[in-house]
Structure formats: C-alpha cells, structure tokens
Amino acid sequence: MALVYTIAVAVIAYLIGSINSSILISKAVTGKDIRTSGSGNAGATNMLRTMGKKYAVITLVIDILKGVVALLLAKLAINLGAFTSATYIAGVAVVLGHNFPVFFGFKGGKGVATSLGVVLLLDWKIGLITLVVALAVMAISKYVSLGSITAAVIFMVLQIVAMAVTDSFDIARLICVLILGGLLIIRHRANIAR
C-alpha cells in the first residue's frame, strides 16, 4: 500500500506542477502565450520582463505554492502509509511537472520558484540558507540565473551534509536531492553557455 500511496502522490504532484501560471495568466490577459515573448521561458522572470511586476509576483507566488502544496500532500500521504521519502519524490515530480507540463506540450519553465517552495518545505533551515545565498548572488551579480544555479549547488551540498551529520542517509532522498539540484542547473544550461 505504501508504494500505491507514493506513486499517487508523485502523479498528483506532477499534475500540480503542470499547471503553469505564467502561460495561463499571459493567455488570459493578453491572449498570447508567454513562451512566444521575451526569453521564451514560462516563468516569473520572463513575466517580469514582458508583463511587469504585478503579473511576475502573481506568477512567483503561485509557482512557489505549487511546491508547497505538493509537499503538504506528500506529508499527508506519509501519515496514511506512503514511504517516508514521498516528500522528496513529490518535490521532484512537481518540479518535473513545472518544467515539462503535460497540459502545455511539455514545454514549461525552469522550475526556480517551484523548487523554492519544495526546498523550504523539505527543510526550512536549508531552504532559508539557500534562499539568502541565492538572493545575495543575484544582488551582487545582477543575474537571476547565477543565483539560481548557486542555490542548486548549495541545496545539494547542505542536504548531503545534513544526512552525514545526522546519520540519516537515505538513497531515495539522495537521488531526489541530486535530481532537484541537477534539474535546476540543467535548465539553466543556455545561461551557463552565455
């Protein structure tokens, strides 16, 4: 039964992630798909560039909430009998949904805001450290992508250190942490190349 609950959580988390707020908002307000404007990315940064602060903030909040809701659902499923790694699995699934949304031809955003919601709920201390470092890098460098990539690396390192220090090594958790961090870095490969 644990496997069934865990799979159900992963599927639902993916579907939650697939609800792309920037695409929905841009189509509702302008009739155009955000992916045809600016950088072509379906995320808060492109919304800021093309539609302004108001819609960027709305997009940012909704995308963060997707990660939060997916993890709260996973925690509920764990209470019902899902594997304890369900939170990490849900975190990966919701970010995959945001990046490759089934409802929008598998072309979504980079997953930064959704990852932030996930990271904060997985471990708020690590999440806060990651956020502060990312914001500092963004403020100094003026590059959102550099802050996001730095955050991904910091997140992976801190999660691995936390497992080592607390002697709570879990292979499922490790794999999910590496996927979450790796996805963020891979999704910024064009920025890295530039």
Side-chain angles (χ1 to χ4, degrees), residues 16-27 32-51 55-56 58-60 62-64 66 94-115 184 187-188 191:
I16 290 169
S18 289
I19 301 167
N20 191 292
S21 58
S22 65
I23 296 172
L24 294 172
I25 292 168
S26 66
K27 283 186 176 182
K32 295 180 182 176
D33 188 327
I34 189 70
R35 297 172 295 180
T36 62
S37 303
S39 67
N41 185 53
T45 304
N46 197 28
M47 287 292 278
L48 177 63
R49 290 183 191 128
T50 59
M51 294 187 64
Y55 295 113
I58 293 169
T59 299
L60 181 68
I62 292 171
D63 287 352
I64 291 170
K66 290 194 303 189
V94 74
V95 172
L96 283 172
H98 180 83
N99 292 353
F100 309 103
V102 67
F103 306 127
F104 300 104
F106 302 101
K107 187 181 177 204
K110 293 181 180 174
V112 176
T114 304
S115 293
L184 212 53
R187 294 295 284 174
H188 285 87
N191 301 84

Side-chain angles (χ1 to χ4, degrees), residues 58-133:
I58 293 169
T59 299
L60 181 68
V61 170
I62 292 171
D63 287 352
I64 291 170
L65 285 175
K66 290 194 303 189
V68 170
V69 169
L71 263 70
L72 290 175
L73 177 67
K75 289 181 180 196
L76 176 64
I78 289 170
N79 289 338
L80 295 173
F83 293 124
T84 55
S85 57
T87 51
Y88 288 89
I89 293 167
V92 169
V94 74
V95 172
L96 283 172
H98 180 83
N99 292 353
F100 309 103
V102 67
F103 306 127
F104 300 104
F106 302 101
K107 187 181 177 204
K110 293 181 180 174
V112 176
T114 304
S115 293
L116 175 59
V118 168
V119 169
L120 286 170
L121 241 65
L122 285 175
D123 184 323
W124 69 268
K125 293 173 196 165
I126 289 175
L128 212 52
I129 292 167
T130 303
L131 177 61
V132 169
V133 170

Side-chain angles (χ1 to χ4, degrees), residues 138-156:
M138 288 176 200
I140 293 165
S141 71
K142 308 293 186 216
Y143 288 106
V144 173
S145 57
L146 184 59
S148 301
I149 293 165
T150 305
V153 173
I154 296 290
F155 166 71
M156 290 186 290

